[in-house]
Amino acid sequence: MQRIFFLGTGAALPSITQDNSSLLVESNDVLLMVDCSGAPYRKLLRIGVDPVKLKHILITHHHIDHIGGLPSLVECLWIKGRTEPLHIYALPAAMRVVEILLDLWDLRNRPIKEFPIVLHTIEGSQDEPVIESPEFTLRATPTLHAVPSVASKIIFPDGRTLVYSSDTALTPAFIDFARGADFLMMECTYCDEEQELAGITYHLTSKTFSEIASQVQAHHTLLIHHSEQMSCSHEDLTREIVEKHGFKGKFSIPKDLDFIEIE
Ligand SMILES: [Zn+2]
Ligand SMILES: [Zn+2]
């Protein structure tokens, strides 16, 4: 069974209904978390998956809304008695923050029942292979953001493909990377009238989101990393994407803890 859970769908400012963006990919009983926000252990319990099955964590970049939950997750897994290794993947800049966060609470050096935390530094090259496993292949490619960040591509054994932008401005390289995706998940932090802010912070707007989505033409395009408290309503954002910018494909804005099945 292959499922994608939305552990969080908001941008940097969470609300009662939205935590910071984070995804969980489940493929044949192996779990990959993409970014680690809020209280991740509790969210794994709420969606009904066994936290012990979490094997891989990809940190796309070191902004706090993408990495802030990591120490608490590692602490909870330790208390729960984990023995299996946990693999963490990140670019060099983000990996430095991972190490600082883990060492701040001595999470790599527990007196009893320590479990191995294996750190894998990503180079940041174009379409870089990160994980090759029987359950899925993970590839990453650099995006254009305020700090070094990667987009990710998950290829399931049947060839079905999911691409997630994480935080980025519009780049032709990302469109090339995303081409052929069955499921395209993209950030859209701002609506049209916030274009200047999006330029300064290297994020997508409804206009640039629609441009990429129209070119990629995925089977299903999903929008995350948008907080109504920071920007316009989801309703207004949808109106801009579909009516103003004319995006025609299947499109949705998932809610926290929703999931889609890859079948
Ligand atoms: Zn973010
Ligand atoms: Zn960011």
Side-chain angles (χ1 to χ4, degrees), residues 10-12 20-21 61 63 65-66 145 164 166-167 187 189 203 225:
N20 307 135
S21 283
H61 65 293
H63 277 158
D65 53 322
H66 297 256
H145 190 42
Y164 172 46
S166 192
D167 290 3
E187 72 122 302
T189 309
H203 281 293
H225 203 281

Side-chain angles (χ1 to χ4, degrees), residues 145-146 169 190 194-203:
H145 190 42
Y190 297 112
E194 298 158 317
Q195 194 180 338
E196 197 184 333
L197 199 51
I200 296 166
T201 55
Y202 297 91
H203 281 293

Side-chain angles (χ1 to χ4, degrees), residues 17-49:
T17 54
Q18 284 189 293
D19 203 347
N20 307 135
S21 283
S22 168
L23 300 175
L24 185 80
V25 179
E26 179 188 43
S27 181
N28 301 335
D29 263 5
V30 169
L31 301 177
L32 158 71
M33 190 181 280
V34 180
D35 289 332
C36 197
S37 66
Y41 187 84
R42 181 164 176 266
K43 286 190 277 186
L44 294 178
L45 297 180
R46 286 186 70 190
I47 60 173
V49 302

Side-chain angles (χ1 to χ4, degrees), residues 123-155:
E123 282 177 17
S125 55
Q126 298 285 331
D127 200 12
E128 178 179 346
V130 178
I131 302 173
E132 307 264 6
S133 73
E135 293 81 23
F136 59 83
T137 296
L138 171 68
R139 304 182 77 88
T141 216
T143 62
L144 181 61
H145 190 42
V147 298
S149 186
V150 286
S152 51
K153 180 185 285 179
I154 292 140
I155 307 158

Side-chain angles (χ1 to χ4, degrees), residues 221-234:
T221 302
L222 300 109
L223 183 156
I224 63 171
H225 203 281
H226 180 265
S227 295
E228 289 182 307
Q229 289 74 18
M230 273 174 69
S231 175
C232 59
S233 69
H234 285 166

